[in-house]
């Protein structure tokens, strides 16, 4: 597709196989959202009535437990889709909050508009289901692995996962192109910030990772 207005979204796996006419109709029907770092796209328990496609930037999906603990479920970045649960339940609520980690641009589309597009392209419905299934499978694997790992292994495996999803090759390894605080890392591996701080020092001393300003670089030998 030659038109740059659509090309960034056309690369998203969710839209593979969609004809140009249907795809352009989607783009024209979608809303545009611009977030600053720290802004909420939506909050936990808000009505879920739209899907969101990230064009630029990144967000963290944060869930607050009944005990008041904040858990980061996932980091999502450019060309990823969130909010698909809104397509399957008409009175669904957001299971987590989505918070911008940096300046972020997003396209949004209501359930009603998406349903009309699916009617003209049933293959898209199968791709949505496949995407949801993959996420669920990955979540189960992550939970199973975390239950038997040390904090060091949890953190190192998290860096490996983030490097695969959001990494850029650089001198000496893979730059994780996200700005994550120690508290955010602690939330993602289910450990205290103090413990994560200590483990980070150990990983840096062992040469597994190192810091580049606000980013972490993972040594290639860790993959």
């Amino acid at each position: 597709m030659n038109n740059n207005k659509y090309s960034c979204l056309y690369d998203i796996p969710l839209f593979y196989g969609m004809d140009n006419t249907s795809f352009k109709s989607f783009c024209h029907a979608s809303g545009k959202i611009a977030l600053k770092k720290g802004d909420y796209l939506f909050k936990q328990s808000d009505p879920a009535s739209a899907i969101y496609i990230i064009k630029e930037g990144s967000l963290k999906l944060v869930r607050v437990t009944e005990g008041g603990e904040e858990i980061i479920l996932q980091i999502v970045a450019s060309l990823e889709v969130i909010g698909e649960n809104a397509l399957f339940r008409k009175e669904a609520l957001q299971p987590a909050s989505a918070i911008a980690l940096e300046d972020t641009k997003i396209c949004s589309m209501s359930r009603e508009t998406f349903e009309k597009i699916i009617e003209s392209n049933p293959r898209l419905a199968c791709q949505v289901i496949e995407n949801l299934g993959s996420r669920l499978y990955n979540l189960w694997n992550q939970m199973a692995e975390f239950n038997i790992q040390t904090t060091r292994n949890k953190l190192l495996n998290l860096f490996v996962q983030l490097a695969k999803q959001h990494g850029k090759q650089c001198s000496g390894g893979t730059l994780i192109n996200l700005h994550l605080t120690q508290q955010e890392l602690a939330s993602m591996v289910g450990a205290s910030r103090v413990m994560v701080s200590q483990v980070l020092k150990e990983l840096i001393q062992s040469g597994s990772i190192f810091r580049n300003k606000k980013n972490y670089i993972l040594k290639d030998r860790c993959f």
Side-chain angles (χ1 to χ4, degrees), residues 86-182:
L87 303 176
F88 299 95
R89 295 180 58 192
K90 292 189 176 181
E91 296 182 359
L93 300 178
Q94 296 292 359
S97 299
I99 307 170
L101 289 170
E102 57 189 318
D103 290 354
T104 302
K105 295 180 180 179
I106 298 167
C107 287
S108 67
M109 185 170 55
S110 69
R111 182 213 325 272
E112 290 76 13
T113 300
F114 198 83
E115 285 178 348
K116 291 179 181 178
I117 293 177
I118 286 180
E119 288 176 359
S120 63
N121 194 331
R123 179 180 175 184
L124 188 57
C126 295
Q127 290 174 246
V128 172
I129 294 172
E130 182 177 349
N131 186 37
L132 287 173
S134 296
R135 289 195 181 189
L136 183 58
Y137 179 79
N138 291 336
L139 179 59
W140 283 345
N141 275 345
Q142 181 180 345
M143 291 175 63
E145 291 178 359
F146 272 26
N147 286 335
I148 60 175
Q149 289 179 345
T150 64
T151 300
R152 185 183 188 280
N153 286 340
K154 288 179 183 179
L155 194 58
L156 187 56
N157 286 336
L158 174 62
F159 280 129
V160 171
Q161 177 184 350
L162 293 175
K164 289 178 179 178
Q165 295 175 339
H166 311 289
K168 293 183 178 180
Q169 286 299 124
C170 66
S171 177
T174 303
L175 174 71
I176 298 174
N177 196 29
L178 295 169
H179 296 167
L180 297 173
T181 66
Q182 290 185 3

Side-chain angles (χ1 to χ4, degrees), residues 56-71:
E56 298 177 15
S58 57
L59 302 100
K60 60 180 179 180
L61 301 183
V62 181
R63 182 173 177 84
V64 179
T65 67
E66 293 182 358
E69 180 183 3
E70 288 191 355
I71 300 174

Side-chain angles (χ1 to χ4, degrees), residues 77-92:
S78 179
L79 302 185
E80 294 191 71
V81 180
I82 57 175
E84 303 99 320
N85 58 306
L87 303 176
F88 299 95
R89 295 180 58 192
K90 292 189 176 181
E91 296 182 359

Side-chain angles (χ1 to χ4, degrees), residues 151 182-183 186 191-202:
T151 300
Q182 290 185 3
Q183 184 57 57
S192 68
R193 189 197 63 78
V194 174
M195 175 63 75
V196 165
S197 177
Q198 179 60 40
V199 172
L200 285 172
K201 291 180 181 178
E202 295 174 2

